[in-house]
Structure formats: C-alpha cells, structure tokens
Coordinates of all heavy atoms in Angstrom, one line a residue:
M15 N -5.1 -2.8 5.3 CA -5.1 -1.4 5.7 C -6.6 -1.0 5.9 O -7.0 -0.6 7.0 CB -4.5 -0.5 4.6 CG -3.0 -0.6 4.7 SD -2.1 0.4 3.5 CE -2.9 1.9 3.5
S16 N -7.4 -1.1 4.9 CA -8.8 -0.8 5.1 C -9.4 -2.0 5.8 O -9.2 -3.2 5.4 CB -9.5 -0.6 3.8 OG -10.9 -0.5 3.9
E17 N -10.2 -1.8 6.8 CA -10.8 -3.0 7.5 C -12.1 -3.4 6.9 O -12.8 -4.3 7.4 CB -10.9 -2.7 9.0 CG -9.5 -2.6 9.6 CD -9.5 -2.4 11.1 OE1 -10.6 -2.0 11.7 OE2 -8.5 -2.6 11.7
E18 N -12.5 -2.7 5.8 CA -13.7 -3.1 5.1 C -13.4 -4.3 4.3 O -12.4 -4.4 3.7 CB -14.1 -1.9 4.1 CG -14.5 -0.7 4.8 CD -14.8 0.5 3.8 OE1 -14.8 0.2 2.6 OE2 -14.9 1.6 4.3
P19 N -14.3 -5.3 4.2 CA -14.1 -6.5 3.5 C -14.1 -6.2 2.0 O -14.7 -5.2 1.5 CB -15.3 -7.4 3.9 CG -16.4 -6.5 4.3 CD -15.6 -5.3 4.9
F20 N -13.4 -7.0 1.2 CA -13.5 -6.9 -0.2 C -14.9 -7.4 -0.7 O -15.5 -8.3 -0.1 CB -12.4 -7.8 -0.9 CG -11.0 -7.4 -0.8 CD1 -10.2 -7.9 0.2 CD2 -10.6 -6.3 -1.5 CE1 -8.9 -7.4 0.3 CE2 -9.3 -5.8 -1.4 CZ -8.5 -6.4 -0.5
I21 N -15.4 -6.7 -1.7 CA -16.7 -7.0 -2.2 C -16.5 -7.8 -3.5 O -15.5 -7.5 -4.3 CB -17.5 -5.7 -2.5 CG1 -17.7 -4.9 -1.2 CG2 -18.8 -6.0 -3.2 CD1 -18.1 -3.5 -1.4
D22 N -17.3 -8.7 -3.8 CA -17.2 -9.5 -5.1 C -17.1 -8.5 -6.3 O -17.9 -7.6 -6.4 CB -18.4 -10.4 -5.3 CG -18.3 -11.6 -4.4 OD1 -17.3 -12.0 -3.9 OD2 -19.4 -12.3 -4.2
G23 N -16.1 -8.8 -7.2 CA -16.0 -8.0 -8.3 C -15.1 -6.7 -8.1 O -14.8 -6.0 -9.0
E24 N -14.8 -6.4 -6.8 CA -14.0 -5.2 -6.5 C -12.6 -5.4 -6.9 O -12.0 -6.6 -6.7 CB -14.1 -5.0 -5.0 CG -13.4 -3.7 -4.6 CD -13.7 -3.4 -3.1 OE1 -13.6 -4.3 -2.3 OE2 -13.9 -2.3 -2.8
E25 N -12.0 -4.4 -7.5 CA -10.6 -4.5 -7.9 C -9.7 -4.7 -6.7 O -9.8 -4.0 -5.8 CB -10.2 -3.2 -8.7 CG -9.1 -3.4 -9.6 CD -8.9 -2.2 -10.5 OE1 -9.9 -1.7 -11.1 OE2 -7.8 -1.7 -10.6
K26 N -8.7 -5.7 -6.8 CA -7.8 -5.9 -5.8 C -6.4 -5.8 -6.4 O -6.2 -6.3 -7.5 CB -7.9 -7.3 -5.2 CG -9.3 -7.6 -4.6 CD -9.5 -9.1 -4.3 CE -10.8 -9.4 -3.8 NZ -11.8 -9.5 -4.9
H27 N -5.4 -5.2 -5.7 CA -4.1 -5.0 -6.2 C -3.1 -5.6 -5.2 O -3.2 -5.3 -4.0 CB -3.7 -3.5 -6.4 CG -4.5 -2.8 -7.5 ND1 -4.2 -1.6 -7.9 CD2 -5.6 -3.2 -8.2 CE1 -5.1 -1.2 -8.9 NE2 -5.9 -2.2 -9.1
A28 N -2.1 -6.3 -5.7 CA -1.0 -6.7 -4.8 C 0.1 -5.5 -4.9 O 0.4 -5.1 -5.9 CB -0.3 -8.0 -5.3
H29 N 0.4 -5.1 -3.7 CA 1.4 -3.9 -3.6 C 2.6 -4.4 -2.9 O 2.6 -5.1 -1.9 CB 0.7 -2.8 -2.8 CG 1.6 -1.7 -2.4 ND1 2.1 -0.8 -3.3 CD2 2.2 -1.4 -1.2 CE1 2.9 0.0 -2.7 NE2 3.0 -0.3 -1.4
H30 N 3.8 -3.9 -3.4 CA 5.1 -4.1 -2.8 C 5.2 -3.1 -1.6 O 5.2 -1.9 -1.9 CB 6.2 -3.9 -3.8 CG 6.3 -5.0 -4.8 ND1 5.7 -4.9 -6.1 CD2 6.9 -6.2 -4.8 CE1 5.9 -5.9 -6.8 NE2 6.6 -6.8 -6.1
I31 N 5.4 -3.6 -0.4 CA 5.6 -2.7 0.7 C 6.9 -2.0 0.5 O 6.9 -0.8 0.7 CB 5.6 -3.6 2.0 CG1 4.2 -4.2 2.2 CG2 5.9 -2.7 3.2 CD1 4.1 -5.2 3.3
E32 N 8.0 -2.7 0.3 CA 9.2 -2.1 -0.1 C 9.3 -2.1 -1.6 O 9.3 -3.2 -2.2 CB 10.4 -2.8 0.5 CG 10.5 -2.8 2.0 CD 10.7 -1.4 2.7 OE1 11.3 -0.5 2.0 OE2 10.3 -1.2 3.8
G33 N 9.3 -1.0 -2.2 CA 9.2 -0.9 -3.7 C 10.3 -1.6 -4.4 O 11.4 -1.7 -3.9
E34 N 9.9 -2.1 -5.6 CA 10.9 -2.8 -6.4 C 12.1 -1.9 -6.7 O 13.3 -2.4 -6.8 CB 10.3 -3.3 -7.7 CG 9.3 -4.4 -7.5 CD 8.7 -4.9 -8.8 OE1 9.4 -5.7 -9.5 OE2 7.6 -4.4 -9.2
S35 N 11.8 -0.7 -7.0 CA 12.9 0.3 -7.3 C 13.8 0.5 -6.1 O 15.0 0.9 -6.2 CB 12.4 1.6 -7.8 OG 11.5 2.2 -7.0
E36 N 13.2 0.5 -4.9 CA 14.0 0.7 -3.6 C 14.8 -0.5 -3.2 O 15.9 -0.4 -2.7 CB 13.1 1.1 -2.5 CG 12.6 2.5 -2.5 CD 11.6 2.8 -3.6 OE1 10.9 2.0 -4.1 OE2 11.6 4.0 -4.1
D37 N 14.2 -1.7 -3.4 CA 14.9 -3.0 -3.1 C 14.5 -4.1 -4.0 O 13.6 -4.9 -3.7 CB 14.6 -3.3 -1.6 CG 15.6 -4.4 -1.1 OD1 16.2 -5.2 -1.9 OD2 15.6 -4.6 0.1
P38 N 15.2 -4.2 -5.2 CA 14.8 -5.3 -6.1 C 14.8 -6.7 -5.6 O 14.1 -7.5 -6.0 CB 15.8 -5.1 -7.2 CG 16.4 -3.7 -7.1 CD 16.3 -3.4 -5.6
A39 N 15.6 -6.9 -4.6 CA 15.7 -8.3 -4.0 C 14.4 -8.7 -3.4 O 14.1 -9.9 -3.2 CB 16.8 -8.3 -3.0
L40 N 13.6 -7.8 -3.0 CA 12.3 -8.1 -2.3 C 11.1 -8.2 -3.4 O 10.0 -8.5 -3.0 CB 11.9 -7.1 -1.3 CG 12.8 -7.0 -0.1 CD1 12.4 -5.8 0.8 CD2 12.8 -8.3 0.7
A41 N 11.4 -8.1 -4.6 CA 10.4 -8.0 -5.6 C 9.5 -9.3 -5.6 O 8.3 -9.2 -5.9 CB 11.0 -7.8 -7.0
T42 N 10.1 -10.4 -5.4 CA 9.3 -11.7 -5.4 C 9.0 -12.3 -4.0 O 8.5 -13.4 -3.9 CB 10.0 -12.8 -6.3 OG1 11.3 -13.0 -5.7 CG2 10.1 -12.3 -7.7
D43 N 9.4 -11.6 -3.0 CA 9.2 -12.0 -1.6 C 7.7 -11.8 -1.2 O 7.2 -10.7 -1.2 CB 10.1 -11.2 -0.7 CG 10.0 -11.7 0.8 OD1 9.2 -12.5 1.1 OD2 10.9 -11.3 1.5
K44 N 7.0 -12.9 -0.9 CA 5.6 -12.9 -0.5 C 5.4 -12.1 0.7 O 4.3 -11.5 0.9 CB 5.1 -14.3 -0.3 CG 5.0 -15.1 -1.6 CD 4.4 -16.5 -1.3 CE 4.7 -17.5 -2.4 NZ 4.3 -18.8 -2.0
E45 N 6.4 -12.0 1.6 CA 6.2 -11.2 2.8 C 6.3 -9.8 2.6 O 6.0 -8.9 3.4 CB 7.3 -11.6 3.8 CG 7.3 -13.0 4.3 CD 6.0 -13.4 5.1 OE1 5.6 -12.5 5.9 OE2 5.4 -14.4 4.8
N46 N 6.7 -9.4 1.4 CA 6.8 -7.9 1.0 C 5.5 -7.5 0.2 O 5.5 -6.4 -0.3 CB 8.0 -7.7 0.1 CG 8.3 -6.3 -0.2 OD1 8.2 -5.4 0.7 ND2 8.5 -6.0 -1.4
L47 N 4.5 -8.3 0.1 CA 3.3 -8.0 -0.6 C 2.1 -7.8 0.3 O 2.0 -8.5 1.3 CB 3.0 -9.1 -1.7 CG 4.0 -9.2 -2.8 CD1 3.6 -10.5 -3.6 CD2 4.1 -8.0 -3.7
I48 N 1.3 -6.9 0.0 CA 0.0 -6.7 0.7 C -1.1 -6.5 -0.3 O -0.9 -5.9 -1.3 CB 0.1 -5.5 1.7 CG1 -1.1 -5.3 2.6 CG2 0.4 -4.2 0.9 CD1 -1.0 -4.3 3.6
L49 N -2.2 -7.1 0.0 CA -3.4 -7.0 -0.9 C -4.2 -5.7 -0.5 O -4.6 -5.6 0.6 CB -4.3 -8.2 -0.9 CG -5.3 -8.4 -1.9 CD1 -4.8 -8.4 -3.3 CD2 -6.1 -9.6 -1.7
L50 N -4.4 -4.8 -1.5 CA -5.1 -3.6 -1.2 C -6.3 -3.5 -2.2 O -6.2 -4.0 -3.3 CB -4.2 -2.4 -1.5 CG -2.9 -2.2 -0.7 CD1 -2.1 -1.1 -1.2 CD2 -3.3 -2.1 0.8
K51 N -7.3 -2.8 -1.8 CA -8.4 -2.4 -2.7 C -7.8 -1.5 -3.8 O -6.9 -0.7 -3.5 CB -9.5 -1.6 -1.9 CG -10.3 -2.5 -1.0 CD -11.4 -1.7 -0.3 CE -12.2 -2.7 0.6 NZ -13.6 -2.3 0.6
G52 N -8.2 -1.7 -5.0 CA -7.6 -1.0 -6.1 C -7.6 0.5 -5.9 O -6.6 1.2 -6.2
W53 N -8.7 1.1 -5.4 CA -8.7 2.5 -5.3 C -7.7 3.1 -4.2 O -7.2 4.1 -4.4 CB -10.1 3.0 -5.0 CG -10.6 2.7 -3.6 CD1 -11.4 1.6 -3.2 CD2 -10.4 3.5 -2.4 NE1 -11.7 1.7 -1.9 CE2 -11.1 2.8 -1.4 CE3 -9.8 4.7 -2.2 CZ2 -11.1 3.3 0.0 CZ3 -9.8 5.2 -0.8 CH2 -10.5 4.5 0.2
I54 N -7.5 2.2 -3.2 CA -6.5 2.6 -2.2 C -5.1 2.6 -2.8 O -4.3 3.5 -2.6 CB -6.6 1.7 -0.9 CG1 -7.9 1.9 -0.2 CG2 -5.4 1.9 0.0 CD1 -8.2 0.9 0.9
H55 N -4.8 1.5 -3.5 CA -3.5 1.4 -4.2 C -3.2 2.6 -5.1 O -2.1 3.2 -5.1 CB -3.4 0.1 -4.9 CG -2.1 -0.3 -5.4 ND1 -1.8 -0.8 -6.6 CD2 -0.9 -0.3 -4.8 CE1 -0.6 -1.0 -6.8 NE2 0.0 -0.7 -5.7
T56 N -4.2 2.9 -5.9 CA -4.1 4.0 -6.9 C -3.9 5.4 -6.1 O -3.0 6.2 -6.5 CB -5.3 4.1 -7.8 OG1 -5.4 2.9 -8.5 CG2 -5.2 5.3 -8.8
D57 N -4.7 5.6 -5.1 CA -4.6 6.8 -4.3 C -3.2 6.9 -3.6 O -2.6 8.0 -3.6 CB -5.7 6.8 -3.3 CG -5.8 8.2 -2.6 OD1 -6.1 9.2 -3.2 OD2 -5.7 8.2 -1.3
Y58 N -2.7 5.8 -3.0 CA -1.5 5.8 -2.4 C -0.3 6.2 -3.3 O 0.5 7.0 -3.0 CB -1.2 4.4 -1.8 CG 0.2 4.2 -1.3 CD1 0.7 4.9 -0.2 CD2 1.1 3.3 -1.8 CE1 2.0 4.8 0.3 CE2 2.4 3.1 -1.4 CZ 2.8 3.8 -0.3 OH 4.1 3.6 0.2
H59 N -0.3 5.6 -4.5 CA 0.8 6.0 -5.5 C 0.6 7.4 -6.0 O 1.6 8.1 -6.2 CB 0.8 5.0 -6.6 CG 1.5 3.7 -6.3 ND1 2.8 3.6 -6.4 CD2 1.0 2.5 -5.9 CE1 3.2 2.3 -6.0 NE2 2.1 1.7 -5.7
G60 N -0.6 7.9 -6.1 CA -0.8 9.3 -6.4 C -0.2 10.2 -5.4 O 0.4 11.2 -5.7
W61 N -0.5 9.8 -4.1 CA 0.0 10.6 -3.0 C 1.5 10.6 -2.9 O 2.2 11.6 -2.7 CB -0.6 10.0 -1.7 CG -0.1 10.7 -0.4 CD1 -0.5 11.9 0.1 CD2 0.8 10.1 0.5 NE1 0.1 12.1 1.3 CE2 0.9 11.0 1.6 CE3 1.6 9.0 0.5 CZ2 1.8 10.8 2.6 CZ3 2.4 8.7 1.6 CH2 2.5 9.7 2.7
L62 N 2.1 9.4 -3.2 CA 3.6 9.3 -3.2 C 4.2 10.2 -4.3 O 5.2 10.9 -4.0 CB 4.0 7.8 -3.5 CG 3.8 6.8 -2.5 CD1 4.2 5.4 -3.0 CD2 4.7 7.1 -1.2
N63 N 3.6 10.1 -5.5 CA 4.1 10.9 -6.6 C 4.0 12.4 -6.3 O 4.9 13.2 -6.6 CB 3.4 10.6 -7.9 CG 3.7 9.3 -8.4 OD1 4.8 8.7 -8.1 ND2 2.8 8.6 -9.1
Q64 N 2.9 12.8 -5.7 CA 2.7 14.2 -5.3 C 3.7 14.7 -4.3 O 4.2 15.8 -4.4 CB 1.3 14.4 -4.8 CG 0.9 15.8 -4.4 CD -0.5 15.9 -3.8 OE1 -0.9 15.0 -3.1 NE2 -1.1 17.0 -4.0
K65 N 4.0 13.9 -3.3 CA 4.9 14.2 -2.3 C 6.4 13.9 -2.6 O 7.3 14.3 -1.9 CB 4.6 13.5 -1.0 CG 3.2 13.8 -0.5 CD 3.1 15.2 0.1 CE 1.8 15.4 0.7 NZ 1.7 16.8 1.2
G66 N 6.6 13.1 -3.7 CA 8.0 12.8 -4.0 C 8.6 11.8 -3.0 O 9.8 11.8 -2.8
L67 N 7.8 10.9 -2.5 CA 8.2 9.9 -1.5 C 8.6 8.6 -2.1 O 8.0 8.2 -3.1 CB 7.1 9.8 -0.4 CG 6.8 11.0 0.4 CD1 5.5 10.7 1.2 CD2 8.0 11.4 1.2
P68 N 9.4 7.8 -1.4 CA 9.8 6.5 -1.9 C 8.6 5.5 -1.5 O 7.8 5.7 -0.6 CB 11.0 6.1 -1.2 CG 10.9 6.9 0.1 CD 10.2 8.2 -0.2
I69 N 8.6 4.4 -2.2 CA 7.7 3.3 -1.9 C 8.4 2.4 -0.9 O 9.3 1.7 -1.2 CB 7.4 2.5 -3.2 CG1 6.7 3.3 -4.3 CG2 6.5 1.3 -2.8 CD1 6.7 2.6 -5.6
N70 N 7.9 2.6 0.4 CA 8.5 1.8 1.4 C 7.5 1.7 2.6 O 6.4 2.3 2.6 CB 9.9 2.3 1.9 CG 9.8 3.7 2.4 OD1 8.8 4.2 3.0 ND2 10.9 4.5 2.3
R71 N 7.9 0.9 3.6 CA 7.0 0.6 4.7 C 6.6 1.9 5.5 O 5.5 2.1 5.9 CB 7.6 -0.4 5.7 CG 6.7 -0.8 6.8 CD 7.4 -1.9 7.6 NE 7.8 -3.0 6.9 CZ 7.1 -4.1 6.6 NH1 5.8 -4.1 6.9 NH2 7.6 -5.1 5.8
E72 N 7.6 2.8 5.6 CA 7.4 4.0 6.4 C 6.4 5.0 5.7 O 5.5 5.5 6.3 CB 8.7 4.8 6.6 CG 9.6 4.0 7.6 CD 8.8 3.7 8.9 OE1 8.2 4.6 9.5 OE2 8.9 2.5 9.3
S73 N 6.5 5.1 4.3 CA 5.6 5.9 3.6 C 4.2 5.3 3.6 O 3.2 6.0 3.7 CB 6.0 6.2 2.2 OG 6.1 5.1 1.4
L74 N 4.1 4.0 3.6 CA 2.8 3.3 3.6 C 2.1 3.5 5.0 O 0.9 3.7 5.1 CB 3.0 1.8 3.3 CG 1.7 1.0 3.1 CD1 0.8 1.6 2.0 CD2 2.1 -0.4 2.8
K75 N 2.9 3.4 6.1 CA 2.4 3.7 7.4 C 1.9 5.1 7.5 O 0.8 5.4 8.1 CB 3.5 3.4 8.5 CG 3.7 2.0 8.7 CD 4.8 1.8 9.8 CE 5.0 0.4 10.1 NZ 6.0 0.2 11.2
C76 N 2.7 6.0 7.0 CA 2.3 7.5 7.0 C 1.0 7.7 6.3 O 0.0 8.4 6.8 CB 3.4 8.3 6.5 SG 3.1 10.1 6.5
Y77 N 0.8 7.1 5.1 CA -0.4 7.2 4.3 C -1.6 6.6 5.1 O -2.7 7.1 5.2 CB -0.2 6.5 3.0 CG -1.5 6.4 2.2 CD1 -1.9 7.4 1.4 CD2 -2.2 5.2 2.2 CE1 -3.1 7.3 0.7 CE2 -3.4 5.1 1.5 CZ -3.8 6.1 0.7 OH -5.0 6.0 -0.1
A78 N -1.4 5.4 5.7 CA -2.4 4.7 6.4 C -2.9 5.5 7.6 O -4.1 5.6 7.9 CB -1.9 3.3 6.9
K79 N -1.9 6.1 8.3 CA -2.3 7.0 9.5 C -3.1 8.2 9.0 O -4.1 8.6 9.6 CB -1.0 7.4 10.2 CG -0.4 6.4 11.0 CD 0.9 6.9 11.7 CE 1.6 5.8 12.4 NZ 2.9 6.3 13.0
M80 N -2.7 8.8 7.9 CA -3.3 10.0 7.4 C -4.8 9.6 7.0 O -5.7 10.5 7.2 CB -2.6 10.5 6.2 CG -3.2 11.7 5.5 SD -2.2 12.2 4.0 CE -2.6 10.9 2.9
K81 N -5.0 8.4 6.5 CA -6.3 8.0 6.0 C -7.1 7.3 7.1 O -8.2 6.8 6.8 CB -6.2 7.1 4.8 CG -5.6 7.8 3.6 CD -6.5 8.8 3.0 CE -6.0 9.4 1.7 NZ -7.0 10.2 1.0
N82 N -6.6 7.1 8.3 CA -7.2 6.4 9.4 C -7.5 4.9 9.0 O -8.4 4.3 9.4 CB -8.5 7.1 9.8 CG -8.3 8.4 10.5 OD1 -7.3 8.5 11.3 ND2 -9.0 9.4 10.1
F83 N -6.5 4.3 8.3 CA -6.5 2.9 8.0 C -5.8 2.1 9.1 O -5.0 2.7 9.8 CB -5.9 2.6 6.6 CG -6.7 3.1 5.5 CD1 -6.0 3.6 4.3 CD2 -8.1 3.1 5.4 CE1 -6.7 4.1 3.2 CE2 -8.7 3.6 4.3 CZ -8.0 4.1 3.2
S84 N -6.0 0.9 9.2 CA -5.4 0.0 10.1 C -3.9 -0.2 9.8 O -3.6 -0.3 8.6 CB -6.1 -1.4 10.2 OG -5.4 -2.3 10.9
L85 N -3.1 -0.3 10.8 CA -1.7 -0.6 10.6 C -1.3 -2.0 10.9 O -0.2 -2.4 10.8 CB -0.8 0.4 11.5 CG -0.9 1.9 11.2 CD1 -0.1 2.6 12.2 CD2 -0.4 2.2 9.8
A86 N -2.4 -2.8 11.2 CA -2.2 -4.2 11.7 C -1.4 -5.0 10.7 O -0.6 -5.9 11.0 CB -3.5 -4.8 12.0
A87 N -1.6 -4.8 9.4 CA -1.0 -5.7 8.3 C 0.5 -5.2 8.0 O 1.2 -5.8 7.3 CB -1.8 -5.7 7.1
L88 N 0.8 -4.0 8.6 CA 2.1 -3.5 8.3 C 3.1 -3.7 9.4 O 4.2 -3.5 9.4 CB 2.0 -2.0 8.1 CG 1.1 -1.6 6.9 CD1 0.9 -0.1 6.9 CD2 1.5 -2.1 5.6

C-alpha cells in the first residue's frame, strides 16, 4: 500500500485482506495476507472500528484511496 520502503527495525505486520471473522477459511491462505507497516495496520484497524466496517478487500481499498496509498497489491 505505502510505496515507501521498509526501514530496518521498522515494525511490520501481516494483515488478513479478508478478515478471519469474515471468512475463517482464508485465515491461513498466503494469498490473503499483505505485509503492512505497523503504523498503517494500526491506523487501518482504528479507522475500521470508528466506522464500524468489516475487515475485507473493499474496506482496505477504501482506506488506501483515502490515504493516497497504492492499490497495486490489492
């Protein structure tokens, strides 16, 4: 999403594109994971909770567009 490179020591989070609670069958699917900078991951989940949105590809795309992040990985 962010096109900035990861910096040594920077927190990295694996994020489920389709949330485990939305589709448990995808929980271990590598194609359902995306590596995000820790602060982006935390901010995304905070935004989801504030808006009451599900964890899915569409909400991730909406968040990425709002923050002017790349959609290439999605």
Side-chain angles (χ1 to χ4, degrees):
M15 286 180 44
S16 169
E17 293 183 346
E18 297 174 8
F20 287 102
I21 299 167
D22 285 343
E24 184 172 43
E25 203 171 313
K26 300 170 185 80
H27 293 188
H29 170 74
H30 291 93
I31 296 169
E32 298 293 336
E34 291 180 83
S35 56
E36 282 71 27
D37 192 344
L40 293 175
T42 58
D43 185 346
K44 292 180 197 173
E45 297 297 316
N46 187 45
L47 295 174
I48 186 171
L49 191 60
L50 300 175
K51 291 185 176 209
W53 71 266
I54 294 173
H55 191 225
T56 300
D57 188 62
Y58 170 64
H59 279 279
W61 178 77
L62 287 176
N63 290 335
Q64 180 184 33
K65 300 289 185 183
L67 297 172
I69 300 167
N70 60 30
R71 187 176 305 274
E72 290 310 309
S73 66
L74 190 56
K75 284 182 179 181
C76 183
Y77 173 82
K79 286 178 186 176
M80 179 182 72
K81 297 289 186 169
N82 293 316
F83 291 145
S84 172
L85 299 173
L88 303 174

